[in-house]
Each structure stands twice: as structure tokens, then as C-alpha cells.
Amino acid sequence: MISRRSLLQAAALAASIPLLPARLLATPIVGFTHSVASGDPQQTSIVLWSRYVGLTGAAELRLELARDPGFTAIVSRGTALSSPATDYCVHARVEDLQPGRWYFYRFVAPGGEISPIGRTRTLPADPLNRFRIGVFSCANATSGWFNAYGHAAARNDLDLLVHLGDYIYESPVDRSDALEALALARRIQPSGEAIQLADYRLRYASYRADPDLLELHRHYPMINIWDDHEIANNAWQHGASNHDEGEGTWADRKAAAMQAFREWVPMGTAPYSHYQIGDLATLFRIETRLVGRTQQLRLADALAGRSDVSAAVREFQTGPLASPDRTMMGAVQEEWLADGMVQSVQSGTRWQVLAQQVIMAPTRLPNVTQEWFAPGTVLDDEQQGQLATAEALSRLGLPLGLDRWDGYPAARDRLLNAAVRANAELVVLSGDSHNAWAYELVHGGQPAGVELAVQGVSSLGLEKRFGGDPRAIAAGFVEANPALKWCDTSQRGYMVLDMSPAGLTNEWLFLPSRSEQSLQVLGGHRVAISRGARRLEAI
Ligand SMILES: [Fe+2]
């Protein structure tokens, strides 16, 4: 229940910040507060979402879904409950729809108030010549504008959106890389780290107030995958690097984060699932954080008290790092995916697309040259020492990060082995790194598929640490990593995966984020993949 006093307080707060752009103040605090959204599409069903705050607590809304935006041909009617128990978020899965169709939907409140009209689409069921997916990850609201969302919302040629995680960040607003003006303009709440249910709910409410994100959801269905920051940094099955005992139990925090995700994001409750896109692709949405991930290894533990670093690293690589017991997905999900890839290939489906969180291909740090730093940069002794250590460990064969699949090499081998055995045309989509990467995946010396990793919508990438010439940095990474064919380590944006039976193209689009609110595309990069090749072609 919202009291008259809190309404007045909220109104007074809004009135006290006069310098905000008008469109950032558009989010109402009663009524339909966050527009509409849709997600988790199947061939004959879809989840529709809105949020309605009534003045008297719970309210029963009417839902209408039509073939046309004028609602002259309504094909489905229903009801959905808005309640404080779900933070006033409303979900409805509408069934018995036609495959591959665009639909329009709206909610109607008891007093007759009507929500914005949303547009959505079911997955196609028939033989299919083309399907385009917009792919996003890592949108820290205090790091930059959501121009990537705005650009995708304004185009009309996508069929589906996939968000690979870090849709919100649980971290405090006053991070070192936060732009003060953005934090003020967006009024991200709470200001501290999100820990309790009320915190996560407020965090979603303030992220979702962004007009570009609202429009994106209103125009397209989205498949959302959580990564770690929807819960806590570097989450694994039983904890996270950013969770300590003073913050309560991990079980409570995980439950709070998951409840807020399920309230605010139009998805079903299955932690992993698959989506059949005509005969063109099976998209597997996998879960690599909470279901079965073993704790990340820490190299510092392996090196503690050791003077013979090379030997210690070798023991680490052949011992704990190589252990087959380490999993990203857990045994049950691994088997589900392996079986799913076999069934997809046997059904004649052309592509097997894996939508998941962290980078899969082996990646190590190259030797860092002066060009990696902005002219005039002088490293102090400590920084030079850290860099020299990182380079030396990389030369010994250690990867750039142990939170990625590189920290779970046996699990990666099992997944790629399953893909090769299934004769899958594997396309792995990854987020998390904040930068753009194109890899060829190899297993047992044979091409196993490709990996397309999307740059962040706004979260800062490697340029935060290496502010020099991005071309020199990219050349260094490509030279040092045989699987890597191209990368960009300095720009924000999103990708569009354009699928047809004979081949795919993937385009990374670069937009400004930190510097300005703008939908101007600054550049891009495209690759092609021919069916059967499992290799990247420059175009
Ligand atoms: Fe991220």
C-alpha cells in the first residue's frame, strides 16, 4: 500500500531536482509505472509483463492481445493480478497463439487506465529463411548511457532479443568508475550494494526507468539470462566473491535476487531452457552460475608460500584446474544440453546456438607494450610489478580469467566434445567481458564451432586499464591467442546475429555510451559463418 505521505515525499523529491532531462522524470509512481514487456517466447506462447501500482493495494488487470495495434482483432483476453507481494509486477503467459506472428498487447486497470501498447512475436515453427537476434550484455547504469538499447528499439528488423546477463549491477552506486552526473540523473537506488529483496527490487525499478530500455522491451520479446551481477559479483553455486557473512546467508541472498529477477523480468521459472526457431536454429539458454558451478579457483592460493613459481603453476594446471569434478553447469544440465544438441541435429535443425554468460575460448594476456597505454602514462613500481607478474603467468600458460570457462577446462572439453559428437553447427554467444571478441572453437584439433562475444551496453571494458591504441591491443591479443580471430577492446554497443539456412552473419555495432546520449553508430565489424565450415570469414 502506498501512503499519501510517501506519495507527497516522492513528489517533493522529484521537484527538488530541477536539472534532469524531462524524459528521465517520466516514470510515474502510481499507475502503469514501467510500461510493458514480453519475453520467454515459444512457438505458441509468450510471457507478457507490466507493473501497475494501485492506490488500494492489489488490483486485477485485464489483458488484451490482438493481431493489430488498433486492437480490432483481439485474439486473447485474460486477467492478471497486480499485488504488493510481487512488487506490483504482473506476469501472464498467453497460450494457444500462432507461431511466427507479431502480436500487440495492453493491460487495462480496474479504473479504465490503459497501459502503453506493446509489440511481441512468437517463435516460428515452419521452414525458415531468415531470423535476426539482437544480443546484449553488461549494462551498468552508472557507467554510461543505454544507447545500444535505444538504437535497437528504434530499428524494425529484429525478430528476438537475447540478453546474456548483467542486466543490473548489485554494486554500490559510488563505484570508482561511476559517472556522478549519470548516477544523479538516473537516481539509481539503493545507493549501497543490493543485498535484501527490497534492495534488488529498487535496483530493477531504477534501471527499468531508463527510457531506452523501456522502449526496447515494448518493441520486442526478450530472452533474459542472469549472469553474476543480478545476484553478486562472481557468483557460484554456494557463494560469490562479493558476498560475506555480514550480509546474511547466501541462500537468503540468492532467493532475494531470484525473486526480484522473476518479478521484474518477463521470463518463466526454468533456470535453463531451449527455444526452437523454425528449422533454422535451436537456441539453448544455459545457466552457468547458480545451478552447478564449482567455486572459482584462486591462483594466489596455489602460489602461497611457494618460491618455485613455475612448478607451483604446473601443479595448479595439472591438479585442481584440470579436475573433471569442476563444473559450470552441473552434471544434469550438461546431460540435458548434450541430449538437446543431438535431438536438434537429428531433427534437421540447421544451427545450434548456445546463449550463455562467460567467454568459452582459451584467452591469455599478450605481452603488453607501451602502445597499450595512453601517451604520457607512467606506471609506478607497483603497477609495473603487477604487469610483469601477469605477463610471466601468462607465458606459463595461465588464462586471463578463472571465472570464465578457462577456469573449468574439463567442463569445456565435455561440452565441446558433446557438440562435435552431435555434429552440431555450434554458435556460442557470450557476454561478461564488456568487450567484443570473435573466436573459432577447436576440440581435439578439429573445428567445433564459433564463439561471438558481445561488448557491454555501457559497462567499461579493458580500456579502463589500457587506455592506449585499441588496434595495438587487439593485434596483441589475436597474435597471442590462436582461437581469437578479431577483437575490439574499447567500444560499447550490441550485436545482431542474422541467421539463414546456409550461413550466418554477425555484426557488432559500436555506439557511444560514456560520452553522450546518442543513437549514432560510430562503426561496426561483421563476420560470416558458412554452414559446415565452423570457421569465421571476414566480410
Ligand atoms: Fe558485466
Side-chain angles (χ1 to χ4, degrees):
M1 174 93 62
I2 291 193
S3 71
R4 182 176 151 75
R5 184 153 170 253
S6 62
L7 284 175
L8 290 172
Q9 282 171 340
L13 179 67
S16 70
I17 308 172
L19 295 176
L20 296 181
R23 67 196 203 116
L24 283 174
L25 284 172
T27 310
I29 52 174
V30 292
F32 288 101
T33 61
H34 288 77
S35 189
V36 293
S38 68
D40 209 24
Q42 295 292 343
Q43 292 177 340
T44 59
S45 75
I46 197 146
V47 174
L48 305 180
W49 181 99
S50 189
R51 183 170 184 269
Y52 179 79
V53 181
L55 287 172
T56 55
E60 190 173 82
L61 308 182
R62 283 192 291 120
L63 165 62
E64 296 173 342
L65 181 126
R67 289 299 316 276
D68 63 313
F71 288 80
T72 58
I74 293 179
V75 295
S76 181
R77 294 178 198 271
T79 59
L81 189 68
S82 148
S83 159
T86 54
D87 202 15
Y88 302 94
C89 297
V90 174
H91 287 70
R93 181 174 280 281
V94 182
E95 312 269 0
D96 302 324
L97 300 176
Q98 296 294 312
R101 291 265 177 93
W102 288 103
Y103 289 100
F104 299 85
Y105 61 97
R106 64 188 178 191
F107 294 84
V108 184
E113 190 183 353
I114 301 174
S115 73
I117 294 169
R119 184 187 72 171
T120 193
R121 192 174 188 210
T122 47
L123 297 181
D126 300 323
L128 192 61
N129 283 322
R130 197 168 188 192
F131 196 81
R132 276 179 281 201
I133 305 177
V135 184
F136 306 85
S137 78
C138 296
N140 192 324
T142 55
S143 294
W145 297 103
F146 292 165
N147 297 325
Y149 290 156
H151 188 268
R155 61 192 291 165
N156 217 22
D157 61 349
L158 302 176
D159 298 294
L160 173 67
L161 309 175
V162 174
H163 201 296
L164 300 173
D166 292 358
Y167 177 87
I168 62 156
Y169 279 73
E170 90 290 8
S171 37
V173 170
D174 64 349
R175 286 161 50 118
S176 60
D177 59 5
L179 285 175
E180 197 179 341
L182 251 176
L184 268 177
R186 288 189 150 149
R187 291 177 290 165
I188 299 302
Q189 295 178 302
S191 57
E193 185 180 330
I195 297 167
Q196 312 278 348
L197 175 60
D199 304 332
Y200 286 109
R201 283 173 162 175
L202 275 172
R203 196 54 65 90
Y204 279 101
S206 42
Y207 269 61
R208 279 285 282 280
D210 177 82
D212 290 319
L213 181 54
L214 286 176
E215 278 301 275
L216 187 66
H217 276 301
R218 199 170 70 80
H219 280 88
Y220 289 110
M222 184 183 278
I223 293 172
N224 272 79
I225 305 176
W226 63 73
D227 191 19
D228 54 340
H229 288 288
E230 283 84 348
I231 311 110
N233 187 44
N234 286 358
W236 60 285
Q237 191 178 2
H238 299 300
S241 67
N242 191 30
H243 180 78
D244 60 52
E245 284 175 11
E247 294 168 331
T249 68
W250 175 245
D252 285 348
R253 186 168 189 182
K254 191 168 68 170
M258 284 298 98
Q259 182 175 336
F261 179 91
R262 294 199 161 113
E263 288 169 350
W264 278 86
V265 177
M267 291 289 293
T269 54
Y272 50 90
S273 189
H274 77 279
Y275 303 82
Q276 188 63 30
I277 302 170
D279 62 348
L280 199 52
T282 308
L283 188 148
F284 297 92
R285 162 173 71 86
I286 65 171
E287 205 285 344
T288 64
R289 287 289 174 189
L290 305 179
V291 168
R293 187 195 267 247
T294 317
Q295 186 168 16
Q296 297 86 346
L297 291 170
R298 284 169 14 113
L299 184 62
D301 295 337
L303 297 180
R306 298 285 299 258
S307 54
D308 50 343
V309 172
S310 298
V313 166
R314 247 193 329 276
E315 285 166 28
F316 174 74
Q317 288 169 312
T318 54
L321 185 60
S323 168
D325 296 337
R326 298 179 54 66
T327 81
M328 288 283 270
M329 303 161 63
V332 173
Q333 189 182 182
E334 281 188 14
E335 201 179 317
W336 165 83
L337 178 62
D339 289 347
M341 287 193 287
V342 168
Q343 285 169 26
S344 174
V345 172
Q346 286 180 350
S347 73
T349 303
R350 306 302 214 287
W351 303 93
Q352 285 69 46
V353 180
L354 212 58
Q356 57 96 47
Q357 295 86 344
V358 297
I359 283 182
M360 186 173 286
T363 310
R364 68 179 193 84
L365 182 72
N367 279 334
V368 173
T369 64
Q370 195 60 42
E371 292 166 291
W372 285 42
F373 298 96
T377 303
V378 180
L379 300 183
D380 61 29
D381 287 349
E382 189 186 345
Q383 289 169 322
Q384 279 187 10
Q386 285 172 348
L387 198 53
T389 302
E391 288 175 326
L393 292 172
S394 174
R395 281 195 293 275
L396 290 170
L398 285 171
L400 193 62
L402 291 170
D403 181 58
R404 308 164 166 214
W405 285 89
D406 264 338
Y408 303 78
R412 176 173 58 198
D413 277 352
R414 289 194 294 269
L415 190 154
L416 292 178
N417 191 44
V420 168
R421 275 200 353 247
N423 199 26
E425 295 286 337
L426 182 67
V427 179
V428 176
L429 306 178
S430 318
D432 175 62
S433 82
H434 307 180
N435 290 124
W437 314 82
Y439 294 96
E440 291 176 352
L441 297 165
V442 175
H443 179 71
Q446 299 297 314
V450 298
E451 179 173 16
L452 309 165
V454 66
Q455 72 272 40
V457 167
S458 61
S459 305
L460 300 181
L462 276 173
E463 76 278 10
K464 188 171 145 185
R465 192 163 158 212
F466 301 112
D469 181 1
R471 287 163 303 180
I473 298 169
F477 268 104
V478 169
E479 192 186 340
N481 292 286
L484 181 65
K485 302 303 166 190
W486 170 85
C487 67
D488 177 276
T489 61
S490 67
Q491 298 186 81
R492 306 283 80 78
Y494 70 108
M495 325 192 282
V496 175
L497 180 66
D498 192 342
M499 298 191 287
S500 69
L504 311 177
T505 62
N506 190 66
E507 181 173 25
W508 289 261
L509 291 128
F510 298 120
L511 289 105
S513 173
R514 197 163 174 82
S515 57
E516 59 178 322
Q517 197 171 17
S518 162
L519 303 188
Q520 189 193 349
V521 176
L522 303 175
H525 183 79
R526 297 173 77 206
V527 294
I529 303 116
S530 297
R531 190 156 180 275
R534 299 182 180 93
R535 289 188 185 283
L536 297 165
E537 299 153 32
I539 47 175

Coordinates of all heavy atoms in Angstrom, one line a residue, residues 39 80 110 125 129 138 188 266 299 319 331 339 368-369 423 427 473 477 481 502-503:
G39 N 8.5 -11.6 -23.0 CA 9.7 -12.5 -23.1 C 9.4 -13.9 -23.0 O 8.3 -14.4 -23.1
A80 N -4.8 -10.6 -14.9 CA -3.6 -10.7 -14.2 C -3.6 -9.9 -13.0 O -4.2 -8.8 -13.0 CB -2.4 -10.3 -15.1
P110 N -8.5 -1.5 -13.3 CA -9.9 -1.5 -12.9 C -10.6 -0.2 -13.2 O -11.8 -0.1 -13.5 CB -9.9 -1.8 -11.4 CG -8.6 -2.5 -11.2 CD -7.6 -2.0 -12.2
A125 N 7.5 -21.7 -36.5 CA 7.5 -23.2 -36.5 C 7.9 -23.8 -37.8 O 8.3 -25.0 -37.9 CB 6.1 -23.7 -36.0
N129 N 13.7 -19.0 -43.6 CA 14.9 -18.5 -44.4 C 15.7 -17.5 -43.7 O 16.8 -17.2 -44.0 CB 14.4 -17.9 -45.7 CG 14.0 -18.9 -46.7 OD1 14.7 -20.0 -46.8 ND2 12.9 -18.8 -47.4
C138 N 25.7 -6.7 -20.1 CA 26.5 -5.8 -19.2 C 26.1 -4.3 -19.4 O 26.8 -3.6 -20.1 CB 28.0 -6.0 -19.5 SG 28.5 -7.7 -19.0
I188 N 19.8 6.0 -9.3 CA 19.8 4.6 -9.0 C 19.7 4.3 -7.6 O 20.4 4.9 -6.7 CB 21.2 4.0 -9.6 CG1 21.3 4.2 -11.1 CG2 21.3 2.5 -9.3 CD1 20.2 3.6 -11.9
P266 N 10.3 -10.6 -17.7 CA 9.3 -11.5 -18.2 C 9.9 -12.8 -18.7 O 10.0 -13.0 -19.9 CB 8.7 -10.6 -19.3 CG 9.7 -9.7 -19.7 CD 10.6 -9.4 -18.5
L299 N 44.5 -18.4 -8.0 CA 45.9 -18.7 -8.2 C 46.7 -18.4 -7.0 O 47.7 -19.1 -6.6 CB 46.4 -17.9 -9.4 CG 47.8 -18.2 -9.8 CD1 48.0 -19.7 -10.2 CD2 48.3 -17.3 -10.9
G319 N 46.7 -30.2 -11.7 CA 45.9 -30.6 -10.5 C 44.5 -30.0 -10.4 O 43.6 -30.4 -11.2
A331 N 26.1 -31.8 -13.6 CA 26.0 -32.9 -14.4 C 24.7 -33.0 -15.1 O 24.6 -33.4 -16.3 CB 26.3 -34.2 -13.6
D339 N 22.1 -34.0 -24.8 CA 21.0 -34.7 -25.5 C 20.2 -33.7 -26.4 O 19.8 -34.1 -27.5 CB 20.0 -35.2 -24.4 CG 20.5 -36.4 -23.7 OD1 21.5 -37.0 -24.1 OD2 19.9 -36.7 -22.6
V368 N 52.4 -6.9 -23.0 CA 51.9 -5.6 -23.0 C 53.0 -4.6 -23.5 O 54.1 -4.6 -22.9 CB 51.4 -5.2 -21.7 CG1 50.9 -3.7 -21.6 CG2 50.2 -6.1 -21.3
T369 N 52.7 -3.8 -24.5 CA 53.7 -2.9 -25.0 C 53.3 -1.5 -24.6 O 52.2 -1.2 -24.1 CB 53.8 -2.9 -26.5 OG1 52.5 -2.5 -27.1 CG2 54.1 -4.3 -27.0
N423 N 27.6 -33.6 -34.0 CA 27.7 -32.9 -35.3 C 27.0 -31.6 -35.4 O 26.4 -31.2 -36.4 CB 27.3 -33.9 -36.5 CG 27.8 -33.4 -37.8 OD1 28.9 -32.8 -37.9 ND2 27.1 -33.7 -38.9
V427 N 27.1 -22.4 -32.4 CA 27.4 -20.9 -32.3 C 27.2 -20.5 -30.8 O 26.1 -20.6 -30.3 CB 26.4 -20.1 -33.2 CG1 26.7 -18.6 -33.1 CG2 26.5 -20.6 -34.6
I473 N 46.3 -3.2 -29.1 CA 45.9 -4.1 -28.1 C 45.2 -5.3 -28.8 O 45.5 -6.5 -28.5 CB 44.9 -3.4 -27.1 CG1 45.6 -2.3 -26.4 CG2 44.3 -4.4 -26.1 CD1 44.7 -1.4 -25.6
F477 N 46.4 -9.3 -28.7 CA 45.5 -10.4 -28.3 C 45.4 -11.5 -29.4 O 45.4 -12.7 -29.1 CB 44.1 -9.9 -27.9 CG 44.0 -9.6 -26.4 CD1 44.0 -8.3 -26.0 CD2 43.9 -10.6 -25.5 CE1 43.9 -8.0 -24.6 CE2 43.8 -10.3 -24.1 CZ 43.8 -9.0 -23.7
N481 N 46.6 -15.5 -29.1 CA 45.6 -16.4 -28.9 C 45.1 -17.0 -30.2 O 44.4 -16.4 -30.9 CB 44.4 -15.8 -28.2 CG 44.8 -15.3 -26.8 OD1 44.9 -16.2 -25.9 ND2 45.0 -14.0 -26.6
A502 N 21.9 -21.4 -45.0 CA 23.3 -21.7 -45.5 C 24.4 -21.0 -44.7 O 25.5 -21.4 -44.8 CB 23.3 -21.2 -47.0
G503 N 24.0 -19.9 -44.0 CA 25.1 -19.2 -43.3 C 24.6 -18.1 -42.4 O 23.4 -17.8 -42.4

